[in-house]
Amino acid sequence: MIFVKDLPRMTAFYAETLGLKPVEATRLENYVEFEAGPVTFALHAIPAQIAEQVVIATPPQPREQNPMKLTFEVDDLATERTRLEALGVTILDRPWGSWDAVDPEGNVFGVCSSAK
């Protein structure tokens, strides 16, 4: 679960940009689950009185120290990187040769190849 300031914006990012399907049966005003292959993950809105104090930079500043990182598998890493860059998603090149991406609130997520 990721706690978020702007649930509609983050829901749109994960649904439209990453192509994950929201689970409508469990959806609430402040909570959205997504099907992500064999697992689900959720976005939960931060309470309004706390969210008012949270500042999200534009572009978002990567939260490198976040204690969790989602990683999504794709068929073609190069194609996915090109697609995300074209959509304006921030890409972080890693010195070890891979890359990560950043969601609209600065959460860093990984992208790896599904090829075994």
Side-chain angles (χ1 to χ4, degrees):
M1 179 182 305
I2 302 174
F3 289 91
V4 300
K5 176 179 179 164
D6 186 338
L7 184 60
R9 180 179 184 197
M10 293 291 282
T11 299
F13 178 81
Y14 282 96
E16 297 166 14
T17 303
L18 295 189
L20 301 176
K21 183 179 176 188
V23 179
E24 295 303 326
T26 59
R27 192 173 190 151
L28 301 170
E29 182 179 308
N30 64 347
Y31 179 85
V32 179
E33 280 184 334
F34 293 87
E35 293 177 11
V39 299
T40 60
F41 86 94
L43 301 176
H44 194 298
I46 297 170
Q49 67 275 19
I50 297 171
E52 291 171 359
Q53 300 169 31
V54 175
V55 177
I56 304 295
T58 303
Q61 295 299 307
R63 292 193 230 168
E64 294 280 4
Q65 302 303 315
N66 203 346
M68 66 90 197
K69 180 174 113 178
L70 299 173
T71 300
F72 299 99
E73 289 185 343
V74 297
D75 292 332
D76 185 325
L77 278 173
T79 299
E80 185 64 7
R81 179 183 176 129
T82 299
R83 187 184 78 77
L84 291 173
E85 286 177 319
L87 293 171
V89 175
T90 299
I91 302 295
L92 304 172
D93 287 307
R94 300 304 190 183
W96 51 88
S98 66
W99 55 274
D100 289 322
V102 181
D103 76 17
E105 292 195 4
N107 299 297
V108 176
F109 63 92
V111 181
C112 67
S113 173
S114 60
K116 305 289 184 220

